[in-house]
Amino acid sequence: MLEQISPWITPAIVLALFIWLRFDIRDLRRDLTARLDGLDGRLRAVETGLAELRGRLDGMDGQFAFLRKYITGENLRGQRPTEAGADE
């Protein structure tokens, strides 16, 4: 009887290992997909935050332009000042 079972042991073990590995790989893919979906959600949140920050900075750009013109004196003369001593 052992002689009849002996030729089937190795293929049965190989087949069992193959099936086990297929299930294990499938589970790993599911875990990876779940992690990537979570990462995608976090990246979308970062993109949304950056878009909001850009909007705020664009709104402040006009205010900073006025401040820059006031500091450099452009609002008084209508043009940028030249280097010191270039007018003379």
Side-chain angles (χ1 to χ4, degrees):
M1 180 170 178
L2 185 59
E3 296 161 352
Q4 293 174 347
I5 297 175
S6 180
W8 294 99
I9 290 177
T10 302
I13 291 172
V14 170
L15 183 62
L17 285 174
F18 176 76
I19 292 171
W20 175 70
L21 286 173
R22 288 290 296 160
F23 282 115
D24 194 44
I25 288 171
R26 187 179 64 188
D27 290 341
L28 287 173
R29 283 185 182 166
R30 286 181 185 165
D31 291 343
L32 181 61
T33 300
R35 286 182 180 199
L36 288 176
D37 288 343
L39 181 62
D40 184 51
R42 287 183 290 204
L43 285 175
R44 288 180 192 271
V46 169
E47 287 175 347
T48 303
L50 283 175
E52 182 180 322
L53 185 59
R54 281 186 187 136
R56 288 181 182 178
L57 288 175
D58 287 343
M60 294 174 70
D61 191 34
Q63 295 171 357
F64 286 129
F66 170 77
L67 184 60
R68 180 179 41 82
K69 287 180 182 179
Y70 180 77
I71 291 171
T72 59
E74 289 180 41
N75 60 345
L76 298 176
R77 290 177 252 184
Q79 60 183 356
R80 288 193 143 223
T82 57
E83 290 185 29
D87 295 342
E88 302 168 6

